[in-house]
Amino acid sequence: MMKVPFLDLKAPYLELKQELDAAYKRVMESGWYILGQEVEAFETEFAAYCGVQYCVSVGNGLEALHLILRAMDIDQGDEVIVPANTYIATWLAVSHTGAIPIPVEPDEKTYNIDAEKIEAAITVKTKAILAVHLYGQPANMDLINEIAESHNLKVIEDAAQAHGAYYKGKRVGSLGDAAGFSFYPTKNLGALGDGGAVTTNDHQLADKISLLRNYGSPVKYFNEIKGFNSRLDELQAAFLRVKLRKLDKWNEHRTNIANQYIKALSTFKSLTLPHVPSWAKPVWHLFVVRHPKRSEFQKYLNNLEISTMIHYPVPPHLSDAYMREQNYGNFPITEKMAKDVLSLPISPHLTEQEVIRVIEQSLAGQVLREGEP
């Protein structure tokens, strides 16, 4: 029986072994491992890729968002609009500043924050809107920016899952005041360890984040502000430079797989497939479907050695981390999604045979009686 992995993290190395080994050797022989030429080069290249003036690399995606909020002087008691339906890191970035995440329900079709519901959540304490491009698909940024402008709010993109995605012809990472990226190994652009970055066109914001990531120090031992230690190391920067050159090709392969899934599985009546608005060009970090008998359907596929995952089984407002703090109330759309969503395999190294197997076995499992398989 052919096994279909959810994601093969060894495959990118095997494809790029010569280039990645050369990058490793270059860094090791340089004797310089923190904030050197590789980091500077990657920041320049990634800023150009995103279509912005500045990129500041940091330790991981959570810290990218956290440092943006810090640099914007968002502080204790402030409020930040966040999606109710997202990975908890989005909320944690807000909480780590002392501010309060204010959740807004998603659009059921796109899974992203419903921009039309944002205004009702704004109060005098609101300082920013943190929009997530969930699963690799851009949020409705024109409406979000319009609302933010009318209320004098900052707009932050959580682009951790959307490297290379387009919104109306512009790359994500260039659509708000600043954007946070993650380079966790599973991302479309993944390091071989942790990593993150901030992109922006705001020179002052970029300068402040550069200080914050390095103990608040522009020059060693001279500290202007109380900063943090959040730096992308030279080795990861060198690896990311190699992989960045492959990103568009890899994203195109993901898109081809997604198109195959959508076309072939459209006859699966109980399966809700992803919806892509006309203005979006997603990069399919995840291919997320909904099934009313998610547990049975997942068990059925897993028994056939087709790996699946759930993104995400517990919404942030129902996690122990946040339920202990306060009762955020009910978010029925988010809570229903948490019970229904299932991620099918999609990656740049998934073969045609593996894609066909996922499709054929999914279609074969359309009729699931209660308690089966």
mmCIF file with all atom_site columns, all heavy atoms in Angstrom, residues 12-26 238-243 245-246 250:
data_model
loop_
_atom_site.group_PDB
_atom_site.id
_atom_site.type_symbol
_atom_site.label_atom_id
_atom_site.label_alt_id
_atom_site.label_comp_id
_atom_site.label_asym_id
_atom_site.label_entity_id
_atom_site.label_seq_id
_atom_site.pdbx_PDB_ins_code
_atom_site.Cartn_x
_atom_site.Cartn_y
_atom_site.Cartn_z
_atom_site.occupancy
_atom_site.B_iso_or_equiv
_atom_site.pdbx_formal_charge
_atom_site.auth_seq_id
_atom_site.auth_comp_id
_atom_site.auth_asym_id
_atom_site.auth_atom_id
_atom_site.pdbx_PDB_model_num
ATOM 1   N N   . PRO A 1 12  ? 13.032 18.549 0.553  1.00 0.00 ? 12  PRO A N   1
ATOM 2   C CA  . PRO A 1 12  ? 13.682 19.776 0.091  1.00 0.00 ? 12  PRO A CA  1
ATOM 3   C C   . PRO A 1 12  ? 15.210 19.710 0.190  1.00 0.00 ? 12  PRO A C   1
ATOM 4   O O   . PRO A 1 12  ? 15.918 20.238 -0.678 1.00 0.00 ? 12  PRO A O   1
ATOM 5   C CB  . PRO A 1 12  ? 13.120 20.862 1.011  1.00 0.00 ? 12  PRO A CB  1
ATOM 6   C CG  . PRO A 1 12  ? 11.861 20.297 1.546  1.00 0.00 ? 12  PRO A CG  1
ATOM 7   C CD  . PRO A 1 12  ? 12.059 18.820 1.623  1.00 0.00 ? 12  PRO A CD  1
ATOM 8   N N   . TYR A 1 13  ? 15.689 19.063 1.239  1.00 0.00 ? 13  TYR A N   1
ATOM 9   C CA  . TYR A 1 13  ? 17.144 18.924 1.366  1.00 0.00 ? 13  TYR A CA  1
ATOM 10  C C   . TYR A 1 13  ? 17.705 18.066 0.243  1.00 0.00 ? 13  TYR A C   1
ATOM 11  O O   . TYR A 1 13  ? 18.733 18.397 -0.356 1.00 0.00 ? 13  TYR A O   1
ATOM 12  C CB  . TYR A 1 13  ? 17.531 18.332 2.717  1.00 0.00 ? 13  TYR A CB  1
ATOM 13  C CG  . TYR A 1 13  ? 19.013 18.021 2.809  1.00 0.00 ? 13  TYR A CG  1
ATOM 14  C CD1 . TYR A 1 13  ? 19.943 19.055 2.828  1.00 0.00 ? 13  TYR A CD1 1
ATOM 15  C CD2 . TYR A 1 13  ? 19.473 16.713 2.831  1.00 0.00 ? 13  TYR A CD2 1
ATOM 16  C CE1 . TYR A 1 13  ? 21.309 18.792 2.869  1.00 0.00 ? 13  TYR A CE1 1
ATOM 17  C CE2 . TYR A 1 13  ? 20.828 16.432 2.873  1.00 0.00 ? 13  TYR A CE2 1
ATOM 18  C CZ  . TYR A 1 13  ? 21.742 17.476 2.891  1.00 0.00 ? 13  TYR A CZ  1
ATOM 19  O OH  . TYR A 1 13  ? 23.090 17.217 2.918  1.00 0.00 ? 13  TYR A OH  1
ATOM 20  N N   . LEU A 1 14  ? 17.042 16.971 -0.057 1.00 0.00 ? 14  LEU A N   1
ATOM 21  C CA  . LEU A 1 14  ? 17.532 16.095 -1.122 1.00 0.00 ? 14  LEU A CA  1
ATOM 22  C C   . LEU A 1 14  ? 17.524 16.814 -2.476 1.00 0.00 ? 14  LEU A C   1
ATOM 23  O O   . LEU A 1 14  ? 18.428 16.633 -3.290 1.00 0.00 ? 14  LEU A O   1
ATOM 24  C CB  . LEU A 1 14  ? 16.685 14.830 -1.187 1.00 0.00 ? 14  LEU A CB  1
ATOM 25  C CG  . LEU A 1 14  ? 16.776 13.911 0.031  1.00 0.00 ? 14  LEU A CG  1
ATOM 26  C CD1 . LEU A 1 14  ? 15.840 12.719 -0.126 1.00 0.00 ? 14  LEU A CD1 1
ATOM 27  C CD2 . LEU A 1 14  ? 18.211 13.442 0.262  1.00 0.00 ? 14  LEU A CD2 1
ATOM 28  N N   . GLU A 1 15  ? 16.510 17.643 -2.703 1.00 0.00 ? 15  GLU A N   1
ATOM 29  C CA  . GLU A 1 15  ? 16.448 18.399 -3.956 1.00 0.00 ? 15  GLU A CA  1
ATOM 30  C C   . GLU A 1 15  ? 17.566 19.441 -4.042 1.00 0.00 ? 15  GLU A C   1
ATOM 31  O O   . GLU A 1 15  ? 18.150 19.650 -5.097 1.00 0.00 ? 15  GLU A O   1
ATOM 32  C CB  . GLU A 1 15  ? 15.093 19.092 -4.095 1.00 0.00 ? 15  GLU A CB  1
ATOM 33  C CG  . GLU A 1 15  ? 14.990 19.921 -5.376 1.00 0.00 ? 15  GLU A CG  1
ATOM 34  C CD  . GLU A 1 15  ? 13.693 20.705 -5.486 1.00 0.00 ? 15  GLU A CD  1
ATOM 35  O OE1 . GLU A 1 15  ? 12.745 20.446 -4.715 1.00 0.00 ? 15  GLU A OE1 1
ATOM 36  O OE2 . GLU A 1 15  ? 13.621 21.592 -6.360 1.00 0.00 ? 15  GLU A OE2 1
ATOM 37  N N   . LEU A 1 16  ? 17.853 20.083 -2.917 1.00 0.00 ? 16  LEU A N   1
ATOM 38  C CA  . LEU A 1 16  ? 18.789 21.209 -2.906 1.00 0.00 ? 16  LEU A CA  1
ATOM 39  C C   . LEU A 1 16  ? 20.081 20.883 -2.167 1.00 0.00 ? 16  LEU A C   1
ATOM 40  O O   . LEU A 1 16  ? 20.772 21.785 -1.700 1.00 0.00 ? 16  LEU A O   1
ATOM 41  C CB  . LEU A 1 16  ? 18.118 22.423 -2.242 1.00 0.00 ? 16  LEU A CB  1
ATOM 42  C CG  . LEU A 1 16  ? 16.837 22.926 -2.902 1.00 0.00 ? 16  LEU A CG  1
ATOM 43  C CD1 . LEU A 1 16  ? 16.201 24.018 -2.056 1.00 0.00 ? 16  LEU A CD1 1
ATOM 44  C CD2 . LEU A 1 16  ? 17.108 23.443 -4.306 1.00 0.00 ? 16  LEU A CD2 1
ATOM 45  N N   . LYS A 1 17  ? 20.404 19.607 -2.060 1.00 0.00 ? 17  LYS A N   1
ATOM 46  C CA  . LYS A 1 17  ? 21.539 19.170 -1.241 1.00 0.00 ? 17  LYS A CA  1
ATOM 47  C C   . LYS A 1 17  ? 22.827 19.917 -1.586 1.00 0.00 ? 17  LYS A C   1
ATOM 48  O O   . LYS A 1 17  ? 23.535 20.403 -0.688 1.00 0.00 ? 17  LYS A O   1
ATOM 49  C CB  . LYS A 1 17  ? 21.750 17.668 -1.398 1.00 0.00 ? 17  LYS A CB  1
ATOM 50  C CG  . LYS A 1 17  ? 22.850 17.094 -0.486 1.00 0.00 ? 17  LYS A CG  1
ATOM 51  C CD  . LYS A 1 17  ? 22.965 15.596 -0.674 1.00 0.00 ? 17  LYS A CD  1
ATOM 52  C CE  . LYS A 1 17  ? 23.913 14.973 0.344  1.00 0.00 ? 17  LYS A CE  1
ATOM 53  N NZ  . LYS A 1 17  ? 25.256 15.574 0.345  1.00 0.00 ? 17  LYS A NZ  1
ATOM 54  N N   . GLN A 1 18  ? 23.155 20.008 -2.842 1.00 0.00 ? 18  GLN A N   1
ATOM 55  C CA  . GLN A 1 18  ? 24.413 20.643 -3.236 1.00 0.00 ? 18  GLN A CA  1
ATOM 56  C C   . GLN A 1 18  ? 24.456 22.105 -2.815 1.00 0.00 ? 18  GLN A C   1
ATOM 57  O O   . GLN A 1 18  ? 25.453 22.570 -2.240 1.00 0.00 ? 18  GLN A O   1
ATOM 58  C CB  . GLN A 1 18  ? 24.599 20.543 -4.756 1.00 0.00 ? 18  GLN A CB  1
ATOM 59  C CG  . GLN A 1 18  ? 25.952 21.033 -5.238 1.00 0.00 ? 18  GLN A CG  1
ATOM 60  C CD  . GLN A 1 18  ? 26.147 20.780 -6.734 1.00 0.00 ? 18  GLN A CD  1
ATOM 61  O OE1 . GLN A 1 18  ? 25.382 20.047 -7.358 1.00 0.00 ? 18  GLN A OE1 1
ATOM 62  N NE2 . GLN A 1 18  ? 27.169 21.387 -7.308 1.00 0.00 ? 18  GLN A NE2 1
ATOM 63  N N   . GLU A 1 19  ? 23.356 22.833 -3.065 1.00 0.00 ? 19  GLU A N   1
ATOM 64  C CA  . GLU A 1 19  ? 23.312 24.260 -2.713 1.00 0.00 ? 19  GLU A CA  1
ATOM 65  C C   . GLU A 1 19  ? 23.289 24.481 -1.204 1.00 0.00 ? 19  GLU A C   1
ATOM 66  O O   . GLU A 1 19  ? 23.950 25.379 -0.683 1.00 0.00 ? 19  GLU A O   1
ATOM 67  C CB  . GLU A 1 19  ? 22.099 24.925 -3.352 1.00 0.00 ? 19  GLU A CB  1
ATOM 68  C CG  . GLU A 1 19  ? 22.104 24.921 -4.870 1.00 0.00 ? 19  GLU A CG  1
ATOM 69  C CD  . GLU A 1 19  ? 21.274 23.792 -5.453 1.00 0.00 ? 19  GLU A CD  1
ATOM 70  O OE1 . GLU A 1 19  ? 21.391 22.640 -4.945 1.00 0.00 ? 19  GLU A OE1 1
ATOM 71  O OE2 . GLU A 1 19  ? 20.524 24.043 -6.398 1.00 0.00 ? 19  GLU A OE2 1
ATOM 72  N N   . LEU A 1 20  ? 22.511 23.640 -0.483 1.00 0.00 ? 20  LEU A N   1
ATOM 73  C CA  . LEU A 1 20  ? 22.422 23.793 0.965  1.00 0.00 ? 20  LEU A CA  1
ATOM 74  C C   . LEU A 1 20  ? 23.734 23.414 1.647  1.00 0.00 ? 20  LEU A C   1
ATOM 75  O O   . LEU A 1 20  ? 24.166 24.079 2.610  1.00 0.00 ? 20  LEU A O   1
ATOM 76  C CB  . LEU A 1 20  ? 21.273 22.950 1.517  1.00 0.00 ? 20  LEU A CB  1
ATOM 77  C CG  . LEU A 1 20  ? 19.872 23.430 1.145  1.00 0.00 ? 20  LEU A CG  1
ATOM 78  C CD1 . LEU A 1 20  ? 18.825 22.390 1.520  1.00 0.00 ? 20  LEU A CD1 1
ATOM 79  C CD2 . LEU A 1 20  ? 19.546 24.764 1.810  1.00 0.00 ? 20  LEU A CD2 1
ATOM 80  N N   . ASP A 1 21  ? 24.376 22.366 1.162  1.00 0.00 ? 21  ASP A N   1
ATOM 81  C CA  . ASP A 1 21  ? 25.680 21.986 1.718  1.00 0.00 ? 21  ASP A CA  1
ATOM 82  C C   . ASP A 1 21  ? 26.715 23.087 1.474  1.00 0.00 ? 21  ASP A C   1
ATOM 83  O O   . ASP A 1 21  ? 27.554 23.374 2.341  1.00 0.00 ? 21  ASP A O   1
ATOM 84  C CB  . ASP A 1 21  ? 26.159 20.672 1.115  1.00 0.00 ? 21  ASP A CB  1
ATOM 85  C CG  . ASP A 1 21  ? 25.382 19.464 1.629  1.00 0.00 ? 21  ASP A CG  1
ATOM 86  O OD1 . ASP A 1 21  ? 24.554 19.639 2.553  1.00 0.00 ? 21  ASP A OD1 1
ATOM 87  O OD2 . ASP A 1 21  ? 25.587 18.352 1.108  1.00 0.00 ? 21  ASP A OD2 1
ATOM 88  N N   . ALA A 1 22  ? 26.642 23.709 0.299  1.00 0.00 ? 22  ALA A N   1
ATOM 89  C CA  . ALA A 1 22  ? 27.570 24.801 -0.012 1.00 0.00 ? 22  ALA A CA  1
ATOM 90  C C   . ALA A 1 22  ? 27.318 26.002 0.895  1.00 0.00 ? 22  ALA A C   1
ATOM 91  O O   . ALA A 1 22  ? 28.266 26.664 1.351  1.00 0.00 ? 22  ALA A O   1
ATOM 92  C CB  . ALA A 1 22  ? 27.441 25.204 -1.476 1.00 0.00 ? 22  ALA A CB  1
ATOM 93  N N   . ALA A 1 23  ? 26.039 26.272 1.176  1.00 0.00 ? 23  ALA A N   1
ATOM 94  C CA  . ALA A 1 23  ? 25.700 27.378 2.073  1.00 0.00 ? 23  ALA A CA  1
ATOM 95  C C   . ALA A 1 23  ? 26.216 27.110 3.483  1.00 0.00 ? 23  ALA A C   1
ATOM 96  O O   . ALA A 1 23  ? 26.771 28.005 4.139  1.00 0.00 ? 23  ALA A O   1
ATOM 97  C CB  . ALA A 1 23  ? 24.189 27.581 2.095  1.00 0.00 ? 23  ALA A CB  1
ATOM 98  N N   . TYR A 1 24  ? 26.036 25.874 3.940  1.00 0.00 ? 24  TYR A N   1
ATOM 99  C CA  . TYR A 1 24  ? 26.549 25.477 5.259  1.00 0.00 ? 24  TYR A CA  1
ATOM 100 C C   . TYR A 1 24  ? 28.065 25.678 5.329  1.00 0.00 ? 24  TYR A C   1
ATOM 101 O O   . TYR A 1 24  ? 28.592 26.288 6.268  1.00 0.00 ? 24  TYR A O   1
ATOM 102 C CB  . TYR A 1 24  ? 26.197 24.019 5.526  1.00 0.00 ? 24  TYR A CB  1
ATOM 103 C CG  . TYR A 1 24  ? 26.930 23.406 6.696  1.00 0.00 ? 24  TYR A CG  1
ATOM 104 C CD1 . TYR A 1 24  ? 26.481 23.610 7.995  1.00 0.00 ? 24  TYR A CD1 1
ATOM 105 C CD2 . TYR A 1 24  ? 28.076 22.642 6.503  1.00 0.00 ? 24  TYR A CD2 1
ATOM 106 C CE1 . TYR A 1 24  ? 27.159 23.062 9.080  1.00 0.00 ? 24  TYR A CE1 1
ATOM 107 C CE2 . TYR A 1 24  ? 28.758 22.084 7.575  1.00 0.00 ? 24  TYR A CE2 1
ATOM 108 C CZ  . TYR A 1 24  ? 28.297 22.299 8.856  1.00 0.00 ? 24  TYR A CZ  1
ATOM 109 O OH  . TYR A 1 24  ? 28.976 21.762 9.922  1.00 0.00 ? 24  TYR A OH  1
ATOM 110 N N   . LYS A 1 25  ? 28.750 25.197 4.314  1.00 0.00 ? 25  LYS A N   1
ATOM 111 C CA  . LYS A 1 25  ? 30.205 25.296 4.297  1.00 0.00 ? 25  LYS A CA  1
ATOM 112 C C   . LYS A 1 25  ? 30.658 26.753 4.279  1.00 0.00 ? 25  LYS A C   1
ATOM 113 O O   . LYS A 1 25  ? 31.605 27.132 4.979  1.00 0.00 ? 25  LYS A O   1
ATOM 114 C CB  . LYS A 1 25  ? 30.758 24.560 3.074  1.00 0.00 ? 25  LYS A CB  1
ATOM 115 C CG  . LYS A 1 25  ? 32.276 24.493 3.025  1.00 0.00 ? 25  LYS A CG  1
ATOM 116 C CD  . LYS A 1 25  ? 32.744 23.697 1.809  1.00 0.00 ? 25  LYS A CD  1
ATOM 117 C CE  . LYS A 1 25  ? 34.280 23.639 1.765  1.00 0.00 ? 25  LYS A CE  1
ATOM 118 N NZ  . LYS A 1 25  ? 34.759 22.917 0.554  1.00 0.00 ? 25  LYS A NZ  1
ATOM 119 N N   . ARG A 1 26  ? 29.952 27.572 3.509  1.00 0.00 ? 26  ARG A N   1
ATOM 120 C CA  . ARG A 1 26  ? 30.304 28.991 3.411  1.00 0.00 ? 26  ARG A CA  1
ATOM 121 C C   . ARG A 1 26  ? 30.208 29.682 4.778  1.00 0.00 ? 26  ARG A C   1
ATOM 122 O O   . ARG A 1 26  ? 31.102 30.444 5.166  1.00 0.00 ? 26  ARG A O   1
ATOM 123 C CB  . ARG A 1 26  ? 29.370 29.666 2.405  1.00 0.00 ? 26  ARG A CB  1
ATOM 124 C CG  . ARG A 1 26  ? 29.701 31.118 2.115  1.00 0.00 ? 26  ARG A CG  1
ATOM 125 C CD  . ARG A 1 26  ? 28.845 31.658 0.977  1.00 0.00 ? 26  ARG A CD  1
ATOM 126 N NE  . ARG A 1 26  ? 27.439 31.796 1.310  1.00 0.00 ? 26  ARG A NE  1
ATOM 127 C CZ  . ARG A 1 26  ? 26.452 31.118 0.767  1.00 0.00 ? 26  ARG A CZ  1
ATOM 128 N NH1 . ARG A 1 26  ? 26.708 30.208 -0.179 1.00 0.00 ? 26  ARG A NH1 1
ATOM 129 N NH2 . ARG A 1 26  ? 25.190 31.316 1.131  1.00 0.00 ? 26  ARG A NH2 1
ATOM 130 N N   . ALA A 1 238 ? 21.443 31.702 5.401  1.00 0.00 ? 238 ALA A N   1
ATOM 131 C CA  . ALA A 1 238 ? 22.075 31.128 4.205  1.00 0.00 ? 238 ALA A CA  1
ATOM 132 C C   . ALA A 1 238 ? 21.183 30.057 3.586  1.00 0.00 ? 238 ALA A C   1
ATOM 133 O O   . ALA A 1 238 ? 21.035 29.990 2.356  1.00 0.00 ? 238 ALA A O   1
ATOM 134 C CB  . ALA A 1 238 ? 23.436 30.545 4.565  1.00 0.00 ? 238 ALA A CB  1
ATOM 135 N N   . PHE A 1 239 ? 20.576 29.211 4.427  1.00 0.00 ? 239 PHE A N   1
ATOM 136 C CA  . PHE A 1 239 ? 19.666 28.183 3.916  1.00 0.00 ? 239 PHE A CA  1
ATOM 137 C C   . PHE A 1 239 ? 18.433 28.826 3.260  1.00 0.00 ? 239 PHE A C   1
ATOM 138 O O   . PHE A 1 239 ? 17.971 28.389 2.204  1.00 0.00 ? 239 PHE A O   1
ATOM 139 C CB  . PHE A 1 239 ? 19.212 27.252 5.037  1.00 0.00 ? 239 PHE A CB  1
ATOM 140 C CG  . PHE A 1 239 ? 20.299 26.385 5.609  1.00 0.00 ? 239 PHE A CG  1
ATOM 141 C CD1 . PHE A 1 239 ? 20.257 25.976 6.945  1.00 0.00 ? 239 PHE A CD1 1
ATOM 142 C CD2 . PHE A 1 239 ? 21.360 25.954 4.827  1.00 0.00 ? 239 PHE A CD2 1
ATOM 143 C CE1 . PHE A 1 239 ? 21.245 25.157 7.474  1.00 0.00 ? 239 PHE A CE1 1
ATOM 144 C CE2 . PHE A 1 239 ? 22.359 25.136 5.353  1.00 0.00 ? 239 PHE A CE2 1
ATOM 145 C CZ  . PHE A 1 239 ? 22.309 24.746 6.682  1.00 0.00 ? 239 PHE A CZ  1
ATOM 146 N N   . LEU A 1 240 ? 17.899 29.858 3.909  1.00 0.00 ? 240 LEU A N   1
ATOM 147 C CA  . LEU A 1 240 ? 16.711 30.521 3.375  1.00 0.00 ? 240 LEU A CA  1
ATOM 148 C C   . LEU A 1 240 ? 16.993 31.203 2.042  1.00 0.00 ? 240 LEU A C   1
ATOM 149 O O   . LEU A 1 240 ? 16.117 31.255 1.169  1.00 0.00 ? 240 LEU A O   1
ATOM 150 C CB  . LEU A 1 240 ? 16.173 31.539 4.392  1.00 0.00 ? 240 LEU A CB  1
ATOM 151 C CG  . LEU A 1 240 ? 15.474 30.921 5.611  1.00 0.00 ? 240 LEU A CG  1
ATOM 152 C CD1 . LEU A 1 240 ? 15.270 31.966 6.700  1.00 0.00 ? 240 LEU A CD1 1
ATOM 153 C CD2 . LEU A 1 240 ? 14.118 30.314 5.218  1.00 0.00 ? 240 LEU A CD2 1
ATOM 154 N N   . ARG A 1 241 ? 18.183 31.711 1.865  1.00 0.00 ? 241 ARG A N   1
ATOM 155 C CA  . ARG A 1 241 ? 18.547 32.333 0.585  1.00 0.00 ? 241 ARG A CA  1
ATOM 156 C C   . ARG A 1 241 ? 18.483 31.300 -0.545 1.00 0.00 ? 241 ARG A C   1
ATOM 157 O O   . ARG A 1 241 ? 18.007 31.603 -1.642 1.00 0.00 ? 241 ARG A O   1
ATOM 158 C CB  . ARG A 1 241 ? 19.947 32.943 0.656  1.00 0.00 ? 241 ARG A CB  1
ATOM 159 C CG  . ARG A 1 241 ? 20.066 34.136 1.596  1.00 0.00 ? 241 ARG A CG  1
ATOM 160 C CD  . ARG A 1 241 ? 21.478 34.695 1.570  1.00 0.00 ? 241 ARG A CD  1
ATOM 161 N NE  . ARG A 1 241 ? 21.781 35.271 0.259  1.00 0.00 ? 241 ARG A NE  1
ATOM 162 C CZ  . ARG A 1 241 ? 23.016 35.517 -0.172 1.00 0.00 ? 241 ARG A CZ  1
ATOM 163 N NH1 . ARG A 1 241 ? 24.063 35.195 0.587  1.00 0.00 ? 241 ARG A NH1 1
ATOM 164 N NH2 . ARG A 1 241 ? 23.201 36.066 -1.351 1.00 0.00 ? 241 ARG A NH2 1
ATOM 165 N N   . VAL A 1 242 ? 18.934 30.084 -0.267 1.00 0.00 ? 242 VAL A N   1
ATOM 166 C CA  . VAL A 1 242 ? 18.864 29.008 -1.265 1.00 0.00 ? 242 VAL A CA  1
ATOM 167 C C   . VAL A 1 242 ? 17.404 28.671 -1.566 1.00 0.00 ? 242 VAL A C   1
ATOM 168 O O   . VAL A 1 242 ? 16.989 28.583 -2.734 1.00 0.00 ? 242 VAL A O   1
ATOM 169 C CB  . VAL A 1 242 ? 19.608 27.755 -0.767 1.00 0.00 ? 242 VAL A CB  1
ATOM 170 C CG1 . VAL A 1 242 ? 19.367 26.576 -1.706 1.00 0.00 ? 242 VAL A CG1 1
ATOM 171 C CG2 . VAL A 1 242 ? 21.096 28.033 -0.626 1.00 0.00 ? 242 VAL A CG2 1
ATOM 172 N N   . LYS A 1 243 ? 16.608 28.501 -0.524 1.00 0.00 ? 243 LYS A N   1
ATOM 173 C CA  . LYS A 1 243 ? 15.227 28.059 -0.705 1.00 0.00 ? 243 LYS A CA  1
ATOM 174 C C   . LYS A 1 243 ? 14.335 29.143 -1.290 1.00 0.00 ? 243 LYS A C   1
ATOM 175 O O   . LYS A 1 243 ? 13.358 28.839 -1.997 1.00 0.00 ? 243 LYS A O   1
ATOM 176 C CB  . LYS A 1 243 ? 14.679 27.545 0.633  1.00 0.00 ? 243 LYS A CB  1
ATOM 177 C CG  . LYS A 1 243 ? 15.419 26.306 1.134  1.00 0.00 ? 243 LYS A CG  1
ATOM 178 C CD  . LYS A 1 243 ? 14.919 25.846 2.484  1.00 0.00 ? 243 LYS A CD  1
ATOM 179 C CE  . LYS A 1 243 ? 13.904 24.760 2.360  1.00 0.00 ? 243 LYS A CE  1
ATOM 180 N NZ  . LYS A 1 243 ? 13.488 24.219 3.675  1.00 0.00 ? 243 LYS A NZ  1
ATOM 181 N N   . ARG A 1 245 ? 14.961 31.039 -3.692 1.00 0.00 ? 245 ARG A N   1
ATOM 182 C CA  . ARG A 1 245 ? 15.047 30.965 -5.160 1.00 0.00 ? 245 ARG A CA  1
ATOM 183 C C   . ARG A 1 245 ? 14.121 29.885 -5.729 1.00 0.00 ? 245 ARG A C   1
ATOM 184 O O   . ARG A 1 245 ? 13.808 29.904 -6.924 1.00 0.00 ? 245 ARG A O   1
ATOM 185 C CB  . ARG A 1 245 ? 16.500 30.707 -5.586 1.00 0.00 ? 245 ARG A CB  1
ATOM 186 C CG  . ARG A 1 245 ? 17.443 31.846 -5.226 1.00 0.00 ? 245 ARG A CG  1
ATOM 187 C CD  . ARG A 1 245 ? 18.785 31.723 -5.940 1.00 0.00 ? 245 ARG A CD  1
ATOM 188 N NE  . ARG A 1 245 ? 19.617 30.658 -5.411 1.00 0.00 ? 245 ARG A NE  1
ATOM 189 C CZ  . ARG A 1 245 ? 20.511 30.822 -4.427 1.00 0.00 ? 245 ARG A CZ  1
ATOM 190 N NH1 . ARG A 1 245 ? 20.667 32.011 -3.851 1.00 0.00 ? 245 ARG A NH1 1
ATOM 191 N NH2 . ARG A 1 245 ? 21.257 29.807 -4.018 1.00 0.00 ? 245 ARG A NH2 1
ATOM 192 N N   . LYS A 1 246 ? 13.691 28.954 -4.896 1.00 0.00 ? 246 LYS A N   1
ATOM 193 C CA  . LYS A 1 246 ? 12.803 27.869 -5.325 1.00 0.00 ? 246 LYS A CA  1
ATOM 194 C C   . LYS A 1 246 ? 11.343 28.114 -4.945 1.00 0.00 ? 246 LYS A C   1
ATOM 195 O O   . LYS A 1 246 ? 10.454 27.352 -5.344 1.00 0.00 ? 246 LYS A O   1
ATOM 196 C CB  . LYS A 1 246 ? 13.247 26.542 -4.698 1.00 0.00 ? 246 LYS A CB  1
ATOM 197 C CG  . LYS A 1 246 ? 14.479 25.917 -5.326 1.00 0.00 ? 246 LYS A CG  1
ATOM 198 C CD  . LYS A 1 246 ? 14.117 25.273 -6.652 1.00 0.00 ? 246 LYS A CD  1
ATOM 199 C CE  . LYS A 1 246 ? 15.307 24.522 -7.229 1.00 0.00 ? 246 LYS A CE  1
ATOM 200 N NZ  . LYS A 1 246 ? 14.928 23.834 -8.483 1.00 0.00 ? 246 LYS A NZ  1
ATOM 201 N N   . TRP A 1 250 ? 7.929  26.043 -6.083 1.00 0.00 ? 250 TRP A N   1
ATOM 202 C CA  . TRP A 1 250 ? 7.277  25.163 -5.114 1.00 0.00 ? 250 TRP A CA  1
ATOM 203 C C   . TRP A 1 250 ? 5.817  25.578 -4.901 1.00 0.00 ? 250 TRP A C   1
ATOM 204 O O   . TRP A 1 250 ? 4.930  24.728 -4.788 1.00 0.00 ? 250 TRP A O   1
ATOM 205 C CB  . TRP A 1 250 ? 8.042  25.170 -3.803 1.00 0.00 ? 250 TRP A CB  1
ATOM 206 C CG  . TRP A 1 250 ? 9.332  24.407 -3.843 1.00 0.00 ? 250 TRP A CG  1
ATOM 207 C CD1 . TRP A 1 250 ? 9.743  23.532 -4.812 1.00 0.00 ? 250 TRP A CD1 1
ATOM 208 C CD2 . TRP A 1 250 ? 10.379 24.438 -2.863 1.00 0.00 ? 250 TRP A CD2 1
ATOM 209 N NE1 . TRP A 1 250 ? 10.978 23.012 -4.490 1.00 0.00 ? 250 TRP A NE1 1
ATOM 210 C CE2 . TRP A 1 250 ? 11.399 23.550 -3.309 1.00 0.00 ? 250 TRP A CE2 1
ATOM 211 C CE3 . TRP A 1 250 ? 10.560 25.126 -1.672 1.00 0.00 ? 250 TRP A CE3 1
ATOM 212 C CZ2 . TRP A 1 250 ? 12.571 23.339 -2.581 1.00 0.00 ? 250 TRP A CZ2 1
ATOM 213 C CZ3 . TRP A 1 250 ? 11.731 24.924 -0.947 1.00 0.00 ? 250 TRP A CZ3 1
ATOM 214 C CH2 . TRP A 1 250 ? 12.725 24.034 -1.396 1.00 0.00 ? 250 TRP A CH2 1
#
